């Protein structure tokens, strides 16, 4: 249950951030080409994820997985708070790399943690089906809540700060 809830919180935060980052670049950072800004953000995130996924996956085979996963979630939370409190291009890329480091750690050690949490291997299909539910349901709920928050603040900085703050809170809870 703990792994399920943690996974749901991570995917809630991920979906909340990923759904609205393009609009954040358009509405808050006011980039002339917000798609290019999103692509640059995604590239920086991938660099962080590639750097961490193998290394933290390797480390999670030698240290407690729950600690590696918790630290990775803390990186996600810190990076997302950075997006909310320092909405400037000079801070976005370092936050994106930190986010990628957390993402790579969560993906690699999170799957290993899921396998550790499977109670009986003869029920692995059912248990991994539940694992899939933990990724799917938050992906439906997050855009609804995030869109509502952003709309409540008329699409300005405060709305994105509320949405990204909620994502950071979800990551922090997942870390716990």
């Amino acid at each position: 249950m703990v792994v399920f809830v943690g996974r749901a919180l991570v995917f809630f935060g991920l979906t909340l951030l990923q759904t609205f980052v393009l609009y954040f670049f358009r509405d808050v950072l006011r980039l002339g080409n917000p798609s290019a800004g999103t692509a640059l953000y995604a590239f920086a995130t991938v660099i962080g994820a590639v750097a961490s996924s193998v290394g933290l996956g390797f480390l999670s085979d030698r240290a407690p997985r729950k600690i590696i996963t918790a630290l990775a979630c803390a990186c996600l939370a810190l990076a997302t708070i950075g997006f909310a409190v320092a909405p400037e291009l000079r801070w976005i890329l370092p936050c994106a790399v930190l986010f990628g480091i957390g993402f790579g750690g969560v993906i690699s050690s999170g799957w290993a943690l899921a396998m550790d949490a499977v109670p009986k291997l003869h029920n692995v299909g059912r248990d991994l089906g539940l694992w899939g539910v933990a990724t799917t349901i938050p992906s439906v709920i997050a855009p609804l809540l995030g869109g509502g928050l952003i709309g409540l603040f008329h699409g300005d900085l405060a709305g994105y700060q509320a949405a990204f703050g909620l994502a950071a809170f979800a990551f922090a809870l997942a870390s716990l």
Side-chain angles (χ1 to χ4, degrees), residues 3 22 43 50 56 58 102 107 112 114 121 126 135 142 144 154 158 162 165 172:
V3 173
L22 171 70
F43 180 74
V50 167
L56 291 177
F58 179 80
I107 294 302
L121 287 181
R126 179 205 63 198
T135 62
L144 296 171
H154 309 291

Side-chain angles (χ1 to χ4, degrees), residues 21-42:
V21 73
L22 171 70
Y23 306 112
F24 173 76
F25 279 106
R26 182 192 69 196
D27 298 341
V28 174
L29 298 180
R30 305 217 186 277
L31 293 183
N33 186 349
S35 295
T38 304
L40 182 60
Y41 154 81

Side-chain angles (χ1 to χ4, degrees), residues 10 56 67 72 75 80 87 128 131-132 142 174:
V10 165
L56 291 177
I67 292 173
C75 288
T80 305
L128 289 179
W131 182 252

Side-chain angles (χ1 to χ4, degrees), residues 4-142:
F4 177 88
V5 170
R7 181 74 166 186
L9 288 166
V10 165
F11 272 82
F12 177 82
L14 285 172
T15 303
L16 197 53
L17 184 63
Q18 291 172 343
T19 301
F20 298 106
V21 73
L22 171 70
Y23 306 112
F24 173 76
F25 279 106
R26 182 192 69 196
D27 298 341
V28 174
L29 298 180
R30 305 217 186 277
L31 293 183
N33 186 349
S35 295
T38 304
L40 182 60
Y41 154 81
F43 180 74
T45 300
V46 167
I47 295 298
V50 167
S52 71
S53 63
V54 173
L56 291 177
F58 179 80
L59 185 59
S60 78
D61 287 336
R62 284 146 185 79
R65 286 182 177 83
K66 63 184 179 182
I67 292 173
I68 302 301
T69 306
L71 291 173
C73 286
C75 288
L76 293 173
L78 288 172
T80 305
I81 289 169
F83 294 143
V85 300
E88 300 173 28
L89 282 177
R90 66 182 174 162
W91 296 113
I92 294 298
L93 285 179
C95 286
V97 171
L98 179 61
F99 188 88
I101 291 168
F103 181 72
V106 163
I107 294 302
S108 62
S109 65
W111 275 106
L113 190 61
M115 297 313 307
D116 291 344
V118 171
K120 296 179 183 173
L121 287 181
H122 70 274
N123 291 329
V124 73
R126 179 205 63 198
D127 293 337
L128 289 179
L130 290 172
W131 182 252
V133 169
T135 62
T136 305
I137 290 177
S139 299
V140 173
I141 296 169

